[in-house]
Amino acid sequence: MSNKFETTWFYAPLETRTESRPSGFLGLSSKIVDVPEGKVANLEEFSEQLANIYNGFDEKGYDVVNVVPISMGSSESCHSKLSNGQKNYLGETGFSITRGAVVVGKKRE
């Protein structure tokens, strides 16, 4: 007996930005590195993984009936710069980003 419903999930990586970081003896040289952006998922990979799951369900005879987002929460410190050049701590700001999804398929009859 086959199952009427099937689920799968995926998790997309964070978007990255390229920046120069000090390296070597006393940090006198620099190297280019990819740094993850804490607030943005890589939407190209997200959509590619979602399409692959949809196509895989279709090949197995399932229709997608639900997509449940997977959101991750975090926070970051907020500061304001004062006129004398010092920073004033304002507290934490919370945010969440959608990093993936659970996809539910239903067997075609």
Side-chain angles (χ1 to χ4, degrees), residues 33-104:
V33 295
D34 286 334
V35 179
E37 291 281 355
K39 295 183 182 177
V40 183
N42 184 315
L43 295 179
E44 189 168 317
E45 286 194 40
F46 185 101
S47 62
E48 184 178 311
Q49 290 182 58
L50 188 58
N52 289 340
I53 290 171
Y54 269 55
N55 289 325
F57 274 171
D58 185 55
E59 288 172 8
K60 292 192 284 186
Y62 286 82
D63 289 323
V64 173
V65 294
N66 203 357
V67 178
V68 182
I70 299 172
S71 296
M72 305 296 234
S74 189
S75 64
E76 65 184 5
S77 298
C78 292
H79 295 85
S80 66
K81 197 166 191 175
L82 302 175
S83 59
N84 63 2
Q86 299 215 353
K87 289 184 177 180
N88 184 24
Y89 178 71
L90 300 175
E92 297 283 317
T93 300
F95 62 91
S96 63
I97 61 171
T98 301
R99 291 284 306 270
V102 176
V103 183
V104 181

Side-chain angles (χ1 to χ4, degrees), residues 16-23 30-37:
T16 59
R17 71 176 185 277
T18 304
E19 66 180 44
S20 178
R21 293 255 171 114
S23 68
S30 65
K31 65 179 180 178
I32 304 297
V33 295
D34 286 334
V35 179
E37 291 281 355

Side-chain angles (χ1 to χ4, degrees), residues 1-4 62 107:
M1 179 169 136
S2 66
N3 293 328
K4 187 173 185 177
Y62 286 82
K107 188 85 165 164

Side-chain angles (χ1 to χ4, degrees), residues 2-18:
S2 66
N3 293 328
K4 187 173 185 177
F5 292 94
E6 184 175 318
T7 63
T8 190
W9 64 278
F10 69 94
Y11 191 67
L14 291 173
E15 190 67 60
T16 59
R17 71 176 185 277
T18 304

